[in-house]
Amino acid sequence: MSTVILGIESSCDDTSAAVISDGILLSNVIAGQKVHEAYGGVVPELASRAHQQNIVPVVSEALRQAGISASDLSAIAFTRGPGLLGSLLVGTSFAKGMSIGLDIPLVDVNHLHAHLLSHFIKRTPEDETPEFPFMCLLISGGNSQIVVARSPFDMEIVGKTIDDAAGEAFDKCAKVMGLPYPGGPHIDRLAALGNPKAFRFSKPHIPGLDYSFSGLKTSFLYTLRDNLKEDPEFIEKNREDLAASLQATIIDILIDKLGKALKEYPVKHVAIGGGVSANSGVRKAIEEFCHRRGVRPWIPERAFTTDNAAMVAAAGYFKYLNKDFCDLSLPPYSRVTV
């Protein structure tokens, strides 16, 4: 009998549901929320309301695309945290109710674990996956971490940001340039047209493997301020070069610490995950880095870089096989590390 897992993701502003059967992805449905664009960032209360509207049709569509009924499910995996508490409550409550109604196990998933395990999403049985142990550069709007994954249940953070994350640096700098939210994709698009050496921004000197991006953000703001005094059209005239230089600096910071981590924790496989792993420059830099170091790169499909339920189902599948189930009394949590 097949093991069929329904995954539910509602940690931020995307409502997603996915189905995997014996580790093979059958469907992955995502409903985004355009309402936040007008505010330049996610508004938690609006996100919660949108999840309430989206979750039933999203789950129904995931089951339909997978060609199964709810009675075929073996378990329900859901994102328990970290994330926006109101958004998590919607997914958690729905998953618990469905679990009770179908009398099947409930599996809680750490959102960050799910990003790391997105490389185990298979479309066919022949798809390859990383070998444990592997190193993952987890980069998103809220997290910049270097993690050594020794198994699906043994993950050690060896480096993390002490202030802003890489995604925050992209989005905040994009905002002061007048770019729409989220700014990261717009920076990526403009960077392809600009000169990455046109401007020099400060790089941190943080000991060990930890990251810092607040100084870079401040340096970027000072560059705009000083030049706008002389030329009010400075941003408009230099938009592509600013984006290219910003992106190149962030990538240099990420790769520098990753290289140091690989010396301390030698592995044969290096992966990236999280929303910033969709960035074209980051993806190319990781490939080149791995080629120089003689390790195998693992770069997720762009569909699996942002928040999605396929990665939740994949992580839940590992926990289901390990009989690691969730008690119905457990609440969602807003903050936690890997």
Side-chain angles (χ1 to χ4, degrees):
M1 185 176 178
S2 297
T3 298
V4 184
I5 308 293
L6 170 67
I8 295 175
E9 157 63 24
S10 68
S11 64
C12 191
D13 61 334
D14 287 329
T15 312
S16 182
V19 176
I20 64 171
S21 177
D22 293 332
I24 307 302
L25 183 65
L26 302 183
S27 65
N28 185 39
V29 178
I30 303 174
Q33 300 177 5
K34 295 290 186 181
V35 64
H36 306 287
E37 292 180 0
Y39 300 93
V42 176
V43 181
E45 179 61 27
L46 296 180
S48 303
R49 294 178 183 179
H51 281 302
Q52 289 180 316
Q53 296 173 341
N54 292 337
I55 193 162
V56 171
V58 165
V59 170
S60 297
E61 180 62 14
L63 294 174
R64 187 194 69 78
Q65 289 187 16
I68 66 168
S69 63
S71 60
D72 297 319
L73 296 174
S74 305
I76 300 171
F78 70 101
T79 300
R80 188 171 156 230
L84 300 177
L85 193 56
S87 295
L88 290 166
L89 277 167
V90 176
T92 299
S93 300
F94 185 90
K96 287 181 177 181
M98 198 169 182
S99 170
I100 294 171
L102 296 173
D103 192 24
I104 57 177
L106 194 62
V107 179
D108 63 318
V109 171
N110 179 312
H111 181 74
L112 303 182
H113 286 186
H115 273 302
L116 266 75
L117 296 174
S118 63
H119 300 278
F120 293 85
I121 301 170
K122 291 186 174 184
R123 295 189 184 276
T124 70
E126 292 75 29
D127 288 352
E128 294 183 295
T129 57
E131 294 179 4
F132 291 105
F134 69 91
M135 185 175 292
C136 184
L137 176 61
L138 179 59
I139 37 179
S140 66
N143 297 279
S144 292
Q145 300 176 343
I146 301 174
V147 183
V148 176
R150 298 183 177 89
S151 81
F153 317 106
D154 181 3
M155 301 180 186
E156 178 187 1
I157 299 174
V158 298
K160 63 183 183 299
T161 182
I162 63 174
D163 43 55
D164 287 350
E168 288 179 289
F170 274 122
D171 287 341
K172 290 177 179 178
C173 291
K175 185 174 183 178
V176 298
M177 287 174 64
L179 298 175
Y181 175 85
H186 296 284
I187 293 290
D188 190 19
R189 173 179 55 82
L190 291 169
L193 306 174
N195 176 10
K197 298 181 179 180
F199 298 95
R200 295 185 64 182
F201 303 118
S202 297
K203 296 180 183 179
H205 299 282
I206 307 298
L209 301 178
D210 287 341
Y211 287 112
S212 171
F213 291 97
S214 62
L216 165 62
K217 182 185 66 177
T218 301
S219 175
F220 186 85
L221 293 176
Y222 282 168
T223 297
L224 296 189
R225 183 199 64 182
D226 294 343
N227 283 279
L228 284 170
K229 291 179 180 178
E230 303 295 330
D231 183 1
E233 297 182 356
F234 172 76
I235 294 178
E236 186 64 32
K237 292 177 180 178
N238 297 276
R239 202 178 296 274
E240 290 85 1
D241 287 346
L242 285 166
S245 299
L246 172 68
Q247 180 164 293
T249 306
I250 291 176
I251 290 172
D252 285 347
I253 295 170
L254 292 171
I255 294 296
D256 177 65
K257 290 300 177 84
L258 186 62
K260 293 177 180 178
L262 193 58
K263 290 181 179 179
E264 292 189 32
Y265 302 89
V267 295
K268 296 180 180 179
H269 295 236
V270 172
I272 56 173
V276 180
S277 65
N279 180 280
S280 300
V282 171
R283 296 165 80 88
K284 181 180 179 182
I286 289 295
E287 286 187 341
E288 293 174 349
F289 167 84
C290 290
H291 178 73
R292 292 194 304 269
R293 297 302 183 100
V295 297
R296 179 167 179 177
W298 291 90
I299 300 174
E301 293 182 29
R302 280 190 167 85
F304 302 141
T305 58
T306 54
D307 296 343
N308 66 92
M311 67 183 190
V312 176
Y317 180 62
F318 280 116
K319 297 190 73 172
Y320 178 85
L321 295 179
N322 201 43
K323 300 187 183 303
D324 185 1
F325 303 136
C326 174
D327 189 275
L328 287 168
S329 65
L330 293 178
Y333 50 83
S334 59
R335 294 186 180 184
V336 75
T337 59
V338 173

